Amino acid sequence: MSRVRFRQINALRSDGYQGGSQGPVTSSFISEALAQGQREFNWEEREQLPRDLGGSKRRGIGLGIGYHGAGGRGYDGLLRITPDGILQIHSGVGNLGTYSYASNARTAAEVMQIPWERTEIHRGRSDRHLPHSSGQGGSNTVFTHARTNWVAGQDLITKMREIAAMDLGGEPDDYEIGGERVFRSDDNSVGLTYAQTAQRAIDLGGKYDGSEYPDDLNPLTQLAVQGVQGTGLVGAAKDNIPGQGQPPGNIIGFIEIELDTDTGKMDIIDYTAVADCGTVQHPKNFDNAMRGGAVWGVGLSNLERHVYDPQNGLPANTGLYQSKPPTNMDVPVDTVSQAVNIPDPQNPTGGRGIGEPTQGAMSLLLPAR
């Protein structure tokens, strides 16, 4: 893409152009991702390099944009603190090898200001009393379940403050949390540990130990709360955080290739990707998604083909040797993955998803065979 085209794209954005009848999004920082990637990839310098490498070899550079809807609303969060002071995080989020269950659970630990080592995640089976949760597809769990864990954490904090005010005097607003304690804002020495509030919740019953719960919880979540009642301080809440628009997962990919015009053989020389995914919540998961999606895109655009018998509709390529998945020999050893890291305003922890878009950006970049 030329510098002229860059200016044309940015001019359209500055004029507020959205294209067609596109609806609102929670936030979008594609322009910032484009500028960051352009700098990191050294686009201006690469654009001046010769394209003809001699013989049948040609050099090319390009960029692609990947997008996928990356979040939902209205699901439930369920947390507990047990008398040993451990934060019990209940998650119905699936795990397709992407740490999705853990990246969402980190929100609960952050809200409760508790070390990760002092948490336990309950997941994977309905008999572990899991709340109503979204599916993992569509890169949507970071936005969706950061919010559910946030609201459940706020419910825990509210109940902690109420218990402290009952036992130690004053009003709930006189108390705050920190260091695994709930304590008076004006006198840190007056307070209860998380473990003590959990035991007091069991003694008090009612809304504190899960014997009572909000009517707007999904029936699955209501069953889950019933399953844990009486075991500690229970926080359960529906995501009613205000807001509108689709949370977008966006990515800009930059690539340099060498192409043999006689044989069609292509070598990827360099690849840089910048994600507009809000605040990165799980760095390891982010790195895996960015590189894994890029490799996937190489296969979809340049190596894999679905060939069918036109008469019977049966697949003609029935083995991997006929539809080759990419390996470490088909991609660079080192690629650059970065994030704009500007928080999404409709997620309390700022995150949005970035799974599928990583494949889309790479797929758009490569010449199809």
Side-chain angles (χ1 to χ4, degrees):
M1 180 177 290
S2 69
R3 282 173 288 182
V4 172
R5 185 58 180 148
F6 262 119
R7 289 195 293 270
Q8 290 172 339
I9 291 174
N10 286 322
L12 288 173
R13 293 196 186 94
S14 65
D15 290 340
Y17 173 80
Q18 289 186 312
S21 58
Q22 178 181 350
V25 294
T26 58
S27 65
S28 181
F29 304 103
I30 280 288
S31 293
E32 289 82 354
L34 182 64
Q36 183 174 328
Q38 185 179 3
R39 292 191 302 270
E40 183 64 31
F41 188 69
N42 295 320
W43 177 276
E44 301 291 343
E45 179 180 331
R46 290 176 192 259
E47 193 178 31
Q48 304 304 317
L49 296 175
R51 303 300 174 90
D52 190 336
L53 301 178
S56 60
K57 292 290 186 70
R58 299 293 184 270
R59 176 182 166 278
I61 61 173
L63 69 85
I65 299 177
Y67 162 84
H68 201 286
R73 297 177 170 85
Y75 294 90
D76 300 330
L78 176 58
L79 305 173
R80 287 183 297 146
I81 294 180
T82 42
D84 56 4
I86 301 297
L87 176 62
Q88 312 287 338
I89 305 169
H90 294 255
S91 173
V93 173
N95 179 45
L96 302 178
T98 60
Y99 302 102
S100 188
Y101 69 95
S103 60
N104 292 283
R106 287 164 68 95
T107 298
E110 180 175 329
V111 172
M112 299 310 301
Q113 300 180 38
I114 191 169
W116 189 238
E117 296 75 18
R118 297 279 291 163
T119 68
E120 182 176 348
I121 302 174
H122 301 265
R123 64 182 182 91
R125 292 168 41 154
S126 58
D127 62 357
R128 293 173 181 164
H129 312 300
L130 310 183
H132 178 50
S133 304
S134 73
Q136 191 182 355
S139 311
N140 64 16
T141 54
V142 164
F143 180 90
T144 306
H145 289 292
R147 290 164 55 111
T148 61
N149 280 312
W150 179 275
V151 295
Q154 297 304 315
D155 189 47
L156 277 182
I157 293 170
T158 296
K159 291 170 179 174
M160 282 183 170
R161 288 170 168 165
E162 292 175 355
I163 291 172
M166 288 183 210
D167 290 2
L168 304 174
E171 299 296 327
D173 287 345
D174 297 333
Y175 292 84
E176 58 184 272
I177 67 165
E180 300 180 61
R181 296 175 67 243
V182 53
F183 54 86
R184 284 191 68 105
S185 304
D186 59 355
D187 186 354
N188 185 283
S189 66
V190 179
L192 299 170
T193 66
Y194 282 5
Q196 290 171 327
T197 60
Q199 184 58 57
R200 286 292 290 129
I202 296 172
D203 299 337
L204 291 166
K207 67 178 182 179
Y208 298 104
D209 77 339
S211 298
E212 301 170 5
Y213 43 79
D215 292 336
D216 64 352
L217 293 180
N218 184 278
L220 287 174
T221 310
Q222 294 182 14
L223 289 173
V225 176
Q226 293 169 17
V228 300
Q229 69 182 41
T231 61
L233 178 64
V234 176
K238 182 183 182 68
D239 168 20
N240 290 317
I241 298 173
Q244 65 173 341
Q246 173 67 55
N250 296 319
I251 184 172
I252 302 284
F254 296 77
I255 198 167
E256 178 182 346
I257 66 167
E258 289 184 4
L259 178 68
D260 189 320
T261 58
D262 285 347
T263 66
K265 184 179 185 302
M266 182 200 67
D267 292 319
I268 300 175
I269 306 304
D270 200 3
Y271 180 69
T272 293
V274 178
D276 168 27
C277 60
T279 302
V280 175
Q281 294 195 192
H282 196 291
K284 182 63 174 176
N285 189 11
F286 173 79
D287 288 342
N288 287 349
M290 292 288 279
R291 180 161 176 82
V295 174
W296 183 18
V298 171
L300 289 175
S301 61
N302 198 52
L303 298 174
E304 303 170 37
R305 289 292 178 270
H306 296 291
V307 180
Y308 290 91
D309 176 345
Q311 176 177 326
N312 302 312
L314 298 175
N317 49 344
T318 56
L320 294 181
Y321 65 94
Q322 297 168 320
S323 189
K324 179 183 180 299
T327 70
N328 62 322
M329 300 297 291
D330 300 302
V331 296
V333 173
D334 297 313
T335 59
V336 176
S337 298
Q338 297 182 354
V340 177
N341 227 17
I342 301 175
D344 187 283
Q346 294 189 34
N347 183 351
T349 57
R352 291 193 257 108
I354 194 62
E356 281 84 344
T358 58
Q359 169 267 121
M362 177 63 87
S363 296
L364 290 171
L365 284 168
L366 298 181
R369 291 195 306 175

